[in-house]
């Protein structure tokens, strides 16, 4: 028991550090869909962004603030889906570090099949970013097209979450 | 009497549904008649679709200077104009962004970019942002292919240029080329609507 406590104390700082990702996985649309469904017992916020998209970068601090607020809540999950190119992976990793992104980031590396996955997420989404999806029990409950203020993001969560 | 009541309920329901679809489908759909415009080109002259007397149609591209997705397509837009201008489908590029929100998309910057990239087509300013909402463009780049039919410009295709913004050598679906080729052969356009990731249009606040 003592050794276990010691061990936990030893790795504790690493657990804290683990909040900041040091690597990002490149995934296909099907993986992303599975990833969202894996969290179906949670309220999930999925934001599509890119390091090259100014309004996306502008709204990200609001997402981080909200994620920090809910990070202790086991029923809340935030997923930041980067649409940067696979070859810009290091740029995304650096961005996570400098901007202190504590929510999980994945790169959706599925450029050639946009016509398959964009309408699957939302019929009237024509591909402009940023956009944000809100899921409850694995079902999409809200879609926001465009940049969100902190107030808009919090109100979308409050309206649709009801923990 | 009862019948009439139900009829009016039905009518209200249908009207309600119609107004609902209208909200979600603002802008042009394939088959609609597109409006002409008079917009300032980078050379200072005003340009309208009606100036192109011998054109059979147009490749109207809402694009801009700053957007990384639009930049990736600049060379391909020039290539499209070179390929199709003489066949009757010139490119008309329109920058829909407000320069107070996105300074890189100002008129002087557009002039510089057009020169740098050797644009062979008009690059127009959507001054006051009046035209892009009529078309229903939501992002850059966003393409509308128009065909002249009985003096009207009919929308035949809405969407993206091809299916790989990242690498022009790894494109497997050339949506715009295919659509124009089909129109030149007087065939219906097979893929009339496509979507792709792009930059939101920067609207004046």
């Amino acid at each position: 028991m003592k050794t276990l406590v010691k061990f936990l104390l030893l790795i504790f700082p690493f657990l804290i550090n683990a909040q900041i990702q040091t690597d990002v996985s490149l995934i296909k649309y099907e993986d992303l869909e599975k990833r969202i469904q894996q969290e179906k017992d949670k309220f999930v916020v999925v934001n599509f962004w890119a390091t090259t998209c100014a309004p996306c970068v502008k709204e990200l601090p609001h997402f981080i603030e909200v994620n920090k607020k809910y990070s202790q809540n086991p029923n809340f999950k935030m997923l930041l889906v980067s649409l940067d190119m696979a070859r810009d992976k290091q740029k995304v990793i650096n961005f996570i570090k400098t901007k202190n992104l504590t929510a999980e980031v994945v790169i959706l590396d599925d450029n050639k099949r946009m016509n398959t996955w964009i309408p699957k997420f939302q019929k009237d989404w024509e591909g402009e970013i940023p956009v944000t999806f809100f899921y409850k029990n694995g079902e999409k409950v809200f879609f926001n097209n465009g940049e969100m203020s902190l107030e808009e993001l919090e109100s979308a969560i409050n309206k649709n979450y009801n923990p | 009497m009862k019948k009439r009541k139900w009829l009016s309920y039905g009518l209200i329901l249908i009207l309600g549904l119609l107004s609902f679809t209208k909200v979600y489908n603002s802008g042009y759909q394939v088959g609609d008649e597109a409006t002409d415009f008079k917009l300032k080109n980078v050379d200072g002259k005003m340009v309208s679709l009606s100036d192109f007397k011998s054109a059979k149609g147009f490749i109207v591209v809402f694009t801009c200077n700053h957007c990384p997705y639009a930049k990736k397509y600049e060379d391909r837009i020039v290539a499209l104009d070179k390929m199709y201008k003489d066949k009757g489908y010139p490119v008309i590029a329109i920058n829909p962004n407000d320069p107070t929100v996105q300074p890189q998309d100002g008129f002087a910057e557009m002039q510089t970019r057009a020169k740098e990239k050797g644009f062979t087509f008009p690059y127009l300013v959507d001054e006051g942002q009046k035209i892009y909402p009529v078309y229903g463009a939501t992002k850059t780049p966003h393409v509308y292919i128009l065909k002249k039919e009985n003096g009207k410009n009919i929308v035949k295709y809405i969407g993206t240029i091809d299916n790989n913004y990242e690498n022009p050598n790894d494109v497997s679906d050339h949506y715009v080329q295919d659509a124009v080729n089909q129109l030149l052969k007087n065939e219906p356009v097979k893929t009339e609507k496509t979507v792709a990731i792009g930059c939101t249009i920067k609207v004046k606040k």
Side-chain angles (χ1 to χ4, degrees):
Chain A
M1 190 61 197
K2 236 181 178 175
T3 39
L4 183 70
V5 172
K6 257 188 185 166
F7 175 69
L8 282 176
L9 280 174
L10 201 71
I11 66 158
F12 189 62
F14 295 100
L15 287 177
I16 297 279
N17 276 334
Q19 282 191 336
I20 300 280
Q21 269 172 252
T22 50
D23 195 16
V24 185
S25 31
L26 302 172
I27 63 171
K28 296 290 171 201
Y29 162 68
E30 287 78 6
D31 308 319
L32 178 59
E33 204 173 42
K34 266 185 219 148
R35 191 71 195 76
I36 294 167
Q37 285 308 314
Q38 260 172 30
E39 311 281 359
K40 70 172 174 212
D41 52 335
K42 295 178 187 165
F43 185 80
V44 191
V45 178
V46 182
N47 174 260
F48 284 81
W49 67 289
T51 58
T52 52
C53 158
C56 306
V57 172
K58 206 175 137 210
E59 69 169 2
L60 270 179
H62 309 320
F63 283 76
I64 295 314
E65 194 170 332
V66 163
N67 190 53
K68 273 185 189 148
K69 192 169 149 189
Y70 286 93
S71 61
Q72 301 308 315
N73 190 331
N75 298 317
F76 183 87
K77 168 78 190 172
M78 186 177 282
L79 192 60
L80 304 176
V81 180
S82 156
L83 294 162
D84 285 274
M85 288 183 274
R87 66 170 127 127
D88 288 335
K89 184 175 153 173
Q90 193 53 48
K91 194 178 161 193
V92 176
I93 295 170
N94 296 344
F95 187 89
I96 293 171
K97 215 170 140 190
T98 52
K99 300 275 175 177
N100 232 351
L101 299 190
T102 46
E104 185 184 347
V105 178
V106 291
I107 294 177
L108 180 57
D109 175 29
D110 217 341
N111 163 28
K112 279 178 83 176
R113 291 195 305 161
M114 284 184 193
N115 277 282
T116 309
W117 58 260
I118 292 174
K120 274 196 180 164
F121 273 103
Q122 178 77 18
K123 235 172 101 183
D124 57 351
W125 178 25
E126 292 187 333
E128 60 280 17
I129 49 171
V131 293
T132 310
F133 294 88
F134 299 82
Y135 295 85
K136 194 180 175 179
N137 304 324
E139 299 278 332
K140 181 175 67 196
V141 287
F142 186 59
F143 164 66
N144 185 85
N145 193 336
E147 190 185 326
M148 294 184 99
S149 67
L150 181 60
E151 294 72 34
E152 283 167 336
L153 179 59
E154 282 187 324
S155 121
I157 293 171
N158 290 335
K159 267 189 207 151
N160 298 290
Y161 190 4
N162 306 320
Chain B
M1 192 59 201
K2 218 176 179 184
K3 218 176 185 178
R4 209 190 239 175
K5 206 171 164 188
W6 279 111
L7 206 70
S8 52
Y9 279 150
L11 204 68
I12 289 167
L13 186 75
I14 288 167
L15 283 174
L17 283 173
L18 279 176
S19 59
F20 191 72
T21 23
K22 188 116 183 109
V23 169
Y24 281 89
N25 292 325
S26 56
Y28 293 139
Q29 298 300 308
V30 170
D32 287 352
E33 181 190 347
T35 186
D36 200 352
F37 39 73
K38 198 169 187 177
L39 300 173
K40 190 166 74 174
N41 190 13
V42 280
D43 64 4
K45 289 176 188 148
M46 301 303 281
V47 172
S48 294
L49 297 178
S50 59
D51 301 337
F52 298 78
K53 304 279 182 232
S54 61
K56 294 174 188 161
F58 300 93
I59 305 170
V60 177
V61 188
F62 290 90
T63 187
C64 66
N65 284 3
H66 90 278
C67 172
Y69 300 96
K71 278 185 188 164
K72 287 270 177 195
Y73 275 113
E74 283 171 329
D75 292 340
R76 279 176 264 185
I77 296 169
V78 172
L80 280 172
D81 186 57
K82 284 182 177 161
M83 209 184 308
Y84 292 114
K85 195 187 325 208
D86 293 340
K87 290 180 180 160
Y89 279 83
V91 165
I92 310 286
I94 302 174
N95 170 16
N97 287 341
D98 184 273
T100 58
V101 182
Q102 190 63 252
Q104 278 171 277
D105 289 329
F107 186 65
E109 288 76 9
M110 285 172 67
Q111 288 177 314
T112 311
R113 195 63 188 160
K115 206 175 270 173
E116 273 171 7
K117 295 304 288 183
F119 284 0
T120 52
F121 45 82
Y123 187 23
L124 312 174
V125 194
D126 188 2
E127 221 152 0
Q129 303 193 295
K130 293 193 178 86
I131 296 303
Y132 91 79
V134 178
Y135 275 70
T138 54
K139 59 182 176 171
T140 52
H142 207 159
V143 181
Y144 290 75
I145 299 178
L146 315 178
K147 186 189 178 206
K148 277 192 195 170
E149 282 177 354
N150 307 318
K152 293 174 178 171
N153 290 305
I154 306 297
V155 178
K156 293 291 177 182
Y157 171 85
I158 303 173
T160 182
I161 291 167
D162 57 44
N163 76 333
N164 196 338
Y165 82 89
E166 198 179 330
N167 180 3
N169 300 319
D170 185 27
V171 170
S172 50
D173 287 305
H174 299 84
Y175 303 119
V176 166
Q177 272 188 52
D178 290 348
V180 178
N181 287 340
Q182 283 149 11
L183 291 173
L184 284 170
K185 282 189 260 172
N186 271 320
E187 286 171 6
V189 173
K190 270 190 199 132
T191 306
E192 295 176 322
K193 200 152 190 227
T194 59
V195 287
I197 294 296
C199 303
T200 42
I201 288 172
K202 308 297 181 278
V203 187
K204 194 181 177 76
K205 280 165 197 158

